[in-house]
Amino acid sequence: MSLLVVGSVALDSVRTPFGVRERSLGGAATHFSVSASFFADVSLVAVVGEDFTAEDEAVFHERKVNIGDLQRIPGGKTFRWVGEYGFDLNTAKTLDTELNVFADFKPQLTEAAKQKPFLFLANIQPELQRTVREQVDCRFVAMDTMNYWIESAREELLKTVAVVDALIINDAEVRELAGEANLIRAARKILTLGPRMLVVKRGEYGAAFFTKDNYFATPAFPVEDVFDPTGAGDSFAGGFMGYLAQADRIDDHALRRAIIYGSVMASFNVEEFSCDRLRRLTPEEIRRRFREFKDFTHFEI
Amino acid sequence: MSLLVVGSVALDSVRTPFGVRERSLGGAATHFSVSASFFADVSLVAVVGEDFTAEDEAVFHERKVNIGDLQRIPGGKTFRWVGEYGFDLNTAKTLDTELNVFADFKPQLTEAAKQKPFLFLANIQPELQRTVREQVDCRFVAMDTMNYWIESAREELLKTVAVVDALIINDAEVRELAGEANLIRAARKILTLGPRMLVVKRGEYGAAFFTKDNYFATPAFPVEDVFDPTGAGDSFAGGFMGYLAQADRIDDHALRRAIIYGSVMASFNVEEFSCDRLRRLTPEEIRRRFREFKDFTHFEI
């Protein structure tokens, strides 16, 4: 089955303890689509400026991501993010954000885009996410968000959360959105807001999955050389949604495997800058790491 | 097989967002031995003062923990800890510590104690841990420590770490001891210091286990009502060591199950103040929660 993602394509400048990368391809929709492309046909809706080059586009073509609906604004500049990570690599410090063409992004889906059965609303303004969601009648809709929207656009965010199937956010966001320090209680509270499932990204600690009747959790893959965490959460969401679209079923069996595939993709993403690691990733490497998850979490009853 | 623990027995005063408990039974060796008693015969070596009452002792008798080697110092006062937790419940703030009789604790093991095949050195001064370790020739020795010793007695600590089989510490301690932010690299470094295995306690995120050739990890049990985290790490160690002593084998199969049993015992411990939850815990509840771990971590290849 095929998958649509709406969100940001950006040019990032990132500094980590291991190096600096100026002007590399980034953005939530980028990391998501490159990751999901290993599992399903992916179409991307986003906006870039005139400074977006053929070289920037190359990764989408390599990964056969459909960018027919990637708008180009003549005379515009692509969304820019400048950030750095300290030695613990856990939280990015944003040094600069230029919205540029992204400030006026008003996604209008084509008829073809509206037909996709799976939709991922990457982290953008919640009202925009909702206008996209209202244009489709698809089988499964998931969304991300961030602390900024929880704090500055809470009412809009709650209206959007109410109309998706799955919320895929990190654990600090779960606690903040629910106003509850205990993750389990916070998750239960969020499940009363509309979504029938909540996926919690916990970075180096793994991921957890909640529905009203079900709970699943996994530790993260033990990555010895975390080089750049940028896009880890979006690569996770890409693996999760991509696998569901591929499996074409949304039951406990598939959802648990989707969480593991999400974790696999995030673990590769952090090994190098930008999408560098995913660009040369092979399906066999994905399968092998999936089996490694089984090996390092298995115990006998 | 039987198990010896050397460490602190304390009288705690704890404040959490959910209540206050003055003068309750605490201390690392207490939480460890009560937890381990569900799996194996446990003997405790520790010291208390004249203020330690029959009521304080009751839990050891109920759980059939052998306290024949619990020294009582006439005129002495028992070790006191006063601490509080904020809403996230992750880190205790120590408000007051009175070492009292613990300041002069010099454990001399009896011949019977020296015969125990499993030994746990709970968190005390590393030099003391080593003098205990040197008195025994047992099959399996594990130890805990804390940031205070890593910072103030590093050389002594390294000498002690070098002569145990397993180090059981939390993830911040792993990073601090190794001087390395990445947990996996930090773990590898610690395995060059002597111990052949490292158990990493990660609180609400679960636990991880490292040997030179093996890795295992588990998320924590999803406890909705964490009431008091005091002693969670020691209950974990008690379940881990207790299960190994019961299984009487130290191979990958048993070690993985031991990590899960440790996680099970920690998850019960935090549900109430002091040892209250463990006092009324049943073997059937332990078995049920162990199976629940399997349920919420299982996925199909």
Side-chain angles (χ1 to χ4, degrees), chain A residues 11 23 48-53 56 76-80 100:
Chain A
L11 296 172
R23 201 199 177 287
V48 293
E50 231 178 48
D51 53 350
F52 200 77
T53 65
D56 295 323
K77 275 188 73 185
T78 303
F79 176 39
R80 283 277 194 161
N100 299 329

Side-chain angles (χ1 to χ4, degrees), chain B residues 77-301:
Chain B
K77 276 187 72 185
T78 302
F79 176 37
R80 284 275 194 163
W81 180 74
V82 182
E84 71 177 5
Y85 296 85
F87 268 97
D88 76 354
L89 291 167
N90 280 330
T91 34
K93 185 176 168 194
T94 293
L95 300 176
D96 191 26
T97 303
E98 293 174 24
L99 287 179
N100 298 330
V101 295
F102 204 62
D104 301 311
F105 183 45
K106 296 274 178 298
Q108 288 300 323
L109 303 190
T110 60
E111 285 311 309
K114 290 179 189 175
Q115 304 308 315
K116 307 294 177 189
F118 288 80
L119 169 64
F120 183 65
L121 302 164
N123 170 38
I124 49 174
Q125 200 188 327
E127 194 178 350
L128 275 191
Q129 291 176 310
R130 203 166 65 253
T131 65
V132 173
R133 201 275 165 258
E134 285 164 353
Q135 294 174 52
V136 302
D137 178 29
C138 59
R139 184 164 159 206
F140 189 78
V141 183
M143 69 178 279
D144 187 11
T145 190
M146 69 183 295
N147 55 351
Y148 179 77
W149 305 119
I150 297 174
E151 291 152 22
S152 68
R154 188 176 180 85
E155 288 311 307
E156 284 300 327
L157 176 59
L158 289 175
K159 283 189 219 167
T160 306
V161 164
V163 293
V164 300
D165 298 291
L167 186 60
I168 306 179
I169 56 182
N170 72 38
D171 57 349
E173 290 155 359
V174 171
R175 294 178 221 267
E176 188 172 4
L177 180 58
E180 167 64 56
N182 178 285
L183 185 75
I184 318 304
R185 296 167 77 91
R188 292 205 196 292
K189 204 162 159 184
I190 285 173
L191 290 175
T192 66
L193 302 177
R196 57 196 171 94
M197 56 187 80
L198 171 67
V199 178
V200 186
K201 299 174 287 185
R202 304 202 266 193
E204 66 168 317
Y205 297 112
F209 173 79
F210 295 85
T211 66
K212 282 207 170 62
D213 322 304
N214 213 330
Y215 174 66
F216 174 69
T218 181
F221 188 81
V223 182
E224 202 161 334
D225 293 296
V226 178
F227 195 84
D228 174 13
T230 310
D234 298 301
S235 302
F236 177 96
F240 176 81
M241 292 289 286
Y243 175 74
L244 289 180
Q246 180 191 76
D248 193 20
R249 50 191 271 201
I250 302 164
D251 53 19
D252 183 58
H253 173 92
L255 287 161
R256 287 174 177 233
R257 288 170 57 95
I259 297 285
I260 302 296
Y261 276 115
S263 305
V264 165
M265 299 309 289
S267 75
F268 281 119
N269 183 79
V270 302
E271 290 179 353
E272 295 179 24
F273 272 128
S274 182
C275 301
D276 291 4
R277 182 66 181 91
L278 265 50
R279 279 179 99 149
R280 52 185 188 74
L281 188 63
T282 67
E284 178 48 31
E285 286 177 308
I286 295 173
R287 281 192 294 272
R288 194 183 314 139
R289 195 162 282 189
F290 184 90
R291 287 191 302 267
E292 285 173 352
F293 264 87
K294 191 68 187 176
D295 292 342
F296 76 74
T297 60
H298 180 74
F299 62 93
E300 305 280 334
I301 273 287

Side-chain angles (χ1 to χ4, degrees), chain A residues 65-81:
Chain A
V65 173
N66 177 353
I67 55 168
D69 294 337
L70 177 65
Q71 291 178 56
R72 284 139 208 287
I73 308 293
K77 275 188 73 185
T78 303
F79 176 39
R80 283 277 194 161
W81 180 74

